Amino acid sequence: MGLMKELDTGTPIRVAAQTVTLTIDGQSVSVPAGTSVMAAAMTMGTKIPKLCATDMLEPFGSCRLCLVEIEGRRGTPASCTTPSEDGMVVHTHTPKLAKLRKGVMELYISDHPLDCLTCASNGDCELQDMAGAVGLREVRYGEGENHVAPASDRFLPKDTSNPYFTYDPSKCIVCNRCVRACEEVQGTFALTIEGRGFDSRVSPGGTDFFGSECVSCGACVQACPTATLVENTVIEKGQPERAVVTTCAYCGVGCSFRAEMQGDTLVRMVPSKGGKANEGHSCVKGRFAWGYATHKDRITRPMVRDRITDPWREVSWQEALGRAASEFRRIQAQYGKDAIGGITSSRCTNEETYLVQKLIRAGFGNNNVDTCARVCHSPTGYGLKTTFGTSAGTQDFKSVAKADVVLVIGANPTDGHPVFASRLKKRLRQGAKLIVADPRRIDLVKGPHVRAEHHLQLVPGTNVALMNAIAHVIVTEGLVDERYVRERCDLGDFESWARFVAEDRHSPEATEAVTGVPAAEVRAAARLYATGGNGAIYYGLGVTEHSQGSTMVMAMANLAMATGNIGREGVGVNPLRGQNNVQGSCDMGSFPHELPGYRHVSDDATRESFEALWGVTLSSDPGMRIPNMLDEAVAGTFKGIYIQGEDIVQSDPDTQHVVAGLEAMECVVIQDIFLNETAKYAHVFLPGSSFLEKDGTFTNAERRINRVRKVMAPLGGMADWEVTIAFAEALGVPMHYGHPSEIMDEIAALTPSFAGVSYALLEEKGSVQWPCNAAAPEGTPIMHVDRFVRGKGKFMITEFVATEERTGPRFPLILTTGRILSQYNVGAQTRRTANSRWHEEDVLEIHPFDAEQRGIVEGDLVSVASRSGDIALHAVISERMQPGVVYTTFHHAKSGANVITTEFSDWATNCPEYKVTAVQVRRTNRPSDWQLRFEQEDEALRRIGPALDAAE
Amino acid sequence: MQRPEPWNAARASEIIAGLSGLEGATLPILHALQDAFGHVPDAAVPLVADALALSRAEVHGCLTFYHDFRRAPAGRHVVKICRAEACQSVGGEQAAADLLSRLGIDWHGTTADGALTVEPVYCLGLCACGPAALVDGVPVGRADADAVLATIEEHAP
Amino acid sequence: MDTAKLARMGNQIAAFFRSYPEEQAVASIRDHVRQFWTPKMRETARAACERGEGGFDPLVVRALVERERV
């Protein structure tokens, strides 16, 4: 298997309707028009020597190695910058070229250290390869000015400020690949060439890497042909010997990676160019922050305890599973069938999630299963299913390359979905227009080479009012795509909706007082979206985590339908789904009311097909959602829960209520890789497995099903799916699967949208977007092309209903929450990596005006209090806030951000209203009571007792 | 030559705003900042970057590419001596070397008392009167060390 | 689950469907509750509505108490 290095054609192979045919070294080759001579040669197996060219970047033509001779043309043009043409006759290796190339290499090597044998890139260095390729034997240049000798005044020491990679200027050949990668691939422009001539040096803008604009995505490290930029893990361990392609376990972009290994030790993660979601790019988390998988905090032995105040006891799998099973059966006998339930993970694989919900439905005998999508995108499921007929995004990520107007609502992709943001920024640099609707001035509004045409800086909680105002403009100014609506949508519903939004009370002028967005801006933005060409909406939790989350999703769907922006590339309604497998978790039937494939449990035909295969009768009533389970626990009727890969104590709102619920239960079973916050309230702990330790599939925000491949043995001895099977076994519910592919086969057999999915198909195609079945054997990149899944698109009336959470004299500010680039969600993984160097604590961002009124200066400890509770955070004064709105993140358990969030939630799905909490902020000199108690309990509730001898 | 103003962020923002609308505004802005403040301090970089939707690194790259942009204040007087071929052919290098050694500084250096900075420049278009120099912006022909120092006396203090 | 919470949830649902003609709204609320609420939640709410307690919106009361028109 080996390293299976991906082919580098030097310059991108263009996509064009026309092909051209040329002759290279006597051989005929055809390529799409616009493809360079270098890439054409590469496709027929001829490697023209190159240093500054790489196919992830546009050609640059600086290294002068790839020169060729073209009959009928003078001189020796660079093959990377020369487009192939019909009838061209090229010679890639001639005596003249050989001499020129040797001369070029001689110059490069004259100013380069000669320590190949001990260099980190030994075996993976393009400079080394080229010296070999051109037959360099001597360097005739003597001692002179150089960047190599430490004594030289041009010498620069290594920059080791970034925890993940090292920059060694003495090895740099100034090929510009890193600078171009940061510009073209990542879009951050953090690198430049400082100085000129012989003094030219790569620089992160005059500072070191850590102190610069660099976001540590590693694109430069990947692009660097020498050891100038190299991963620290390669410096430590040496070159990998084999690679396994797998999928990242962080966000919903679902980047494909080559896990490059030495045996079963991971050396580095390199983004795969063949990955359709990311096409060779990644962010800091996927590429570098994988160390958590082998962190010392990993729990590898099952543990039990009688009371949560007892220390944990390490026991055998048999004992732990036996305890959990017998407790669950006892609870059911005592309190009823519905007294237990479970939560599936959005981070575990599709197969694992399927098994958990199967265990609950078939094994527990109820439908009390739910997932974390409850607290993030459940409104997406409800809203898009109602309007379009499908609970998922309509496009693939690549579609943004054809968008003309992009509307980003309640999302911060440069932080939350960085690889998608890079694609978006690339399109924006090409001229597409951007509208941002967000209470904060996120980085996309104004950054290097990106400027939003309109920033609709609304007050949190007024999303629907803003959408109605935009819709008002579109309808009253005659900007509706009437033909599209007539052909594809239910006309009756459209007419009701159009009458509704046309009312004066929805005009931008009338809603300005509520939303805080100037009417002129709203009108201009609406016109731009409706008439600017392909209009694409991308949205995130700033849409869904509101009491009108579902309403808002429907409002956006209405806009897309009204303007004909569905059903082709470059348009659509795109939820930026957070977790690596939250889409998959929903697909696999994690909701209490739906079986796999989004079919209601009361649908007899569907339920009967499951009953037939599973050999058991299933309940046809919807089960409990997570908030219900907690309420019933506090009420004393819900007593046992099986939670896989989920940390509700840290991620769910109103922490004190969540804890009260868990404390009231009699048997809390946690299956996870770390002792997380929820585990503090658990009685049985089952060690889980990271994405490196199992086979399976993840489904990303594009509905793309991607393989996860095992590279090391599970540290606890069993992969998560094996643990669930063992637990089922202990409960007397046998499940027989030898490999996750068999689980997928069962899913395919029972679910029409996945009928064509199999591991064989995934091996062949790499990945596939569902629906994938007889009607769409290759999968479905773009949905609703000829018709909506439900038939006709359904316009829904979206009256603005202000949230019950109101500011007032006691709590005059609004707290909204979000995420940042370096930490992921509850931080369980990223806090256990060097990523913490970028974000060691959650802080409160506050506008200068609000800060001044309260006498708060940068760095002050402030108390943030709401009806639910209070916490203390350090303040950061930030102009990107608006007066009246403060912001924090929830990446650190000890901050307790969710202590202050409320119990308000979306009307349709109970998705918590994280984005609107009325708070007061004051200077303080001590942490809050909750935080102090946290510090005390953190230690106490996590204690693991000494291992007991068998004889004791 | 105008005395440079002390650095002031508000004043800098004003200058930047006035020129941001130009196509290829980076260079005109950097020149204007140097004209006003005598140099382009580090603090100016984020202001320029923000105004033009560039990264700080890009502005840094542009700034460091051109030797004419100073990162630190110059002496009270600035002498630019031509080092191009025509001036070389009439003894320009020796004249320059003489001046530098008398002042005890190197190219781009400033004398210890802060009085004088000497910078290289490549062709002032005064080839017929070489060696040529600019002393506080005023062209001087047949410029040897004495001539330069004498011109500065005239401009003093 | 306590009646107050169920009333709040139900009233939020009513607030959404109130934009529609009354009969349609009642049917939609009934359908929503049947799809997503557990039998226990439905029963608790229905009982409270029949007793006139809980502060349920009239549309919700109609949806829970009236039998579905065939």
Side-chain angles (χ1 to χ4, degrees), chain A residues 183 188-197 199 203-207 211-213 446-451, chain B residues 20 42 45 47-68 71:
Chain A
E183 296 183 356
T188 296
F189 295 78
L191 296 176
T192 187
I193 302 294
E194 186 179 71
R196 67 199 286 171
D199 288 330
S203 166
T207 68
S212 71
E213 298 156 291
K446 189 166 176 201
H449 302 268
V450 171
R451 218 165 229 170
Chain B
S20 298
D42 288 346
V45 172
L47 298 178
V48 177
D50 195 61
L52 302 180
L54 296 172
S55 68
R56 298 193 305 268
E58 285 179 285
V59 177
H60 178 83
C62 184
L63 192 48
T64 55
F65 183 82
Y66 297 102
H67 296 144
D68 203 50
R71 309 309 309 283

